Amino acid sequence: MNHAPRFSLTLEVPAANSADAYQHFTAKAAYETDVADVMIDCQKGNPPFILLDVRDQLTYEQCHIPGAIHITGRQINAKTTAHLDKNTTIVTYCWGPACNGATKAAAKLASLGFPVKELLGGIEYWRKEGGQVEGTLGVEAPMYWSIIK
């Protein structure tokens, strides 16, 4: 009987030691948050962060997370963010995991001096996890961005 260790793609690169792993994962959590955590905070009322939808104006109007404000990602600058409190964390979101708009917006906001996190999964996963939405189309709005509007 052969008892030689089997090759593992998962463990081809060994796991980091626990101290390094702790540093990595706490650093990662400093930049990201998930739908469930944001949803729970929103359900409690008056969340301690600003939720920022960075998609285009039309898609925001059609469907967005209740309480979210809107600034199109490409329009984020010192002037368009002057009304925002630099002591309040901003949580950015876009379409979903295949969209990097929230990442780019978070980088711009950080460069302007805002504390910021990115909502993993965007509005796609918000909706998939049963999050409430509002807007002119609400739940009837498309789940994904389309070049054909």
Side-chain angles (χ1 to χ4, degrees):
M1 189 172 269
N2 185 358
H3 293 290
R6 292 185 298 163
F7 174 77
S8 168
L9 291 172
T10 303
L11 300 177
E12 182 175 19
V13 174
N17 70 57
S18 59
D20 289 344
Y22 176 79
Q23 291 291 349
H24 168 79
F25 290 115
T26 55
K28 184 176 177 181
Y31 302 104
E32 303 169 341
T33 189
D34 70 8
V35 166
D37 290 346
V38 170
M39 199 176 293
I40 289 167
D41 284 344
C42 289
Q43 288 170 353
K44 290 178 185 177
N46 197 22
F49 51 81
I50 297 167
L51 198 52
L52 180 64
D53 187 318
V54 301
R55 300 171 303 145
D56 65 85
Q57 183 68 36
L58 176 61
T59 55
Y60 170 79
E61 290 171 3
Q62 291 175 341
C63 179
H64 59 270
I65 298 171
I69 64 170
H70 177 261
I71 304 173
T72 300
R74 288 195 173 108
Q75 295 175 346
I76 292 173
N77 58 50
K79 184 177 178 182
T80 62
T81 61
H83 66 289
L84 301 176
D85 180 1
K86 287 198 174 179
N87 295 312
T88 303
T89 299
I90 299 173
V91 176
T92 62
Y93 75 88
C94 196
W95 282 100
C99 178
N100 67 2
T103 305
K104 290 177 180 179
K108 286 182 183 179
L109 290 163
S111 75
L112 293 169
F114 290 95
V116 65
K117 287 190 172 206
E118 178 182 3
L119 178 60
L120 296 174
I123 197 162
E124 176 186 347
Y125 276 75
W126 178 270
R127 291 175 68 181
K128 284 181 176 182
E129 293 189 28
Q132 297 294 312
V133 293
E134 59 187 21
T136 57
L137 296 180
V139 296
E140 299 302 317
M143 285 288 283
Y144 310 101
W145 184 81
S146 172
I147 199 159
I148 302 169
K149 298 264 181 178

